[in-house]
Amino acid sequence: MKEPLRPVRYDDRDDTVRLLDQRELPGVESWLALRSSAEVADAIRTLAVRGAPAIGVAAAFGLAADARRGADAAALARHAELLARARPTAVNLAWAVRRVSRRFGEGGEAVLAEAQAIRDEDEAACRRLGALGAPLLPPGARVLTHCNAGALATAGYGTALGIVRAAVEAGNAVTVLADETRPFFQGARLTAWELQRDGIPVTVLTDGMAGWLMARGEVDAVVVGADRIARNGDVANKIGTYGLAVLAAHHRLPVYVAAPWSTVDRDTPDGGAIPIEERSGDEVTVIGGLRVAPLGVPARYPAFDVTPAALVTAIVTERGLARAPYGPALEALGRAQGPGILDRPAGPIV
Ligand code: MRU
């Protein structure tokens, strides 16, 4: 395998946030060098960086850049507010902003240290949840995934793809079916790119193909990430996940949701309370400059949907696995104390 993919970095020599521009993949690997949290907010809104944990890390680094360039606590608080609102559904964004905000009074070094800790902990969380989730996959499993919940969507390693990577590292020759994930094509462009880069077999499907392949017995498990998990286990994830979960239930296939604990939002009681980002219909009707619907016909673009907890077989976090009933299971994981994630070896499943 190649050098681990880490799409969000901080360069403390010139206080810039370096982002692998995900709008350009798979054709071009170009890195943005952003000098302020305002530039990072723009990159988040325009999907240069995307994926719940990755936008949290990018936002934290953006505030570190502001702090190291001399912004005072009042200015930082204003910038934090702006960043937290850049995208509404992924709770990791507001969570990371809140976490670095607590260090604003201590100066730039402290803010950067907190941002680095968020980055390091996220990658460690992905590796641990990957190790915990890998045994769920039968030998040679054909894993269907949606969107990109890989290294590109996190600090590194990935959540859903973290489980895939950990399974492969453990000697399980799993293969991946990647929904293309219209309209931004995270599956076709990003999941396929990063798995090919790591030599993990991947086949791209259009979003409407999953049901038929399930009916033909060509899928063993659905493994996806999450943007926010409510207290009752309802899961917000990329639009299309709900449909896959309904299809999986019909075909008696397991649906595993992989997410770091920072995606679990115990302040949100259920999926109905999760804000769903509505993006411009133009992103649906114009793809790469090509108009694919008649001019003047409107399009909808809810960017996420909510999969009810009842359709989820297990939620895999670095703290352990949760299974239904999710309320008490997540509460128990929330109480789980112990050493920081960076010190904790992969242990028994809770
Ligand atoms: O709009 P995006 O690409 O930011 O949406 C990302 C997803 O829905 C991912 O599946 C989710 O954030 C999990 S990423 C580990």
Side-chain angles (χ1 to χ4, degrees), residues 150 180 183 223 282 310 325:
E180 65 178 358
V223 184
D282 294 348

Side-chain angles (χ1 to χ4, degrees), residues 62 80 121 215 231 324 344:
E121 288 172 26
R231 195 161 67 222
R344 211 182 315 166

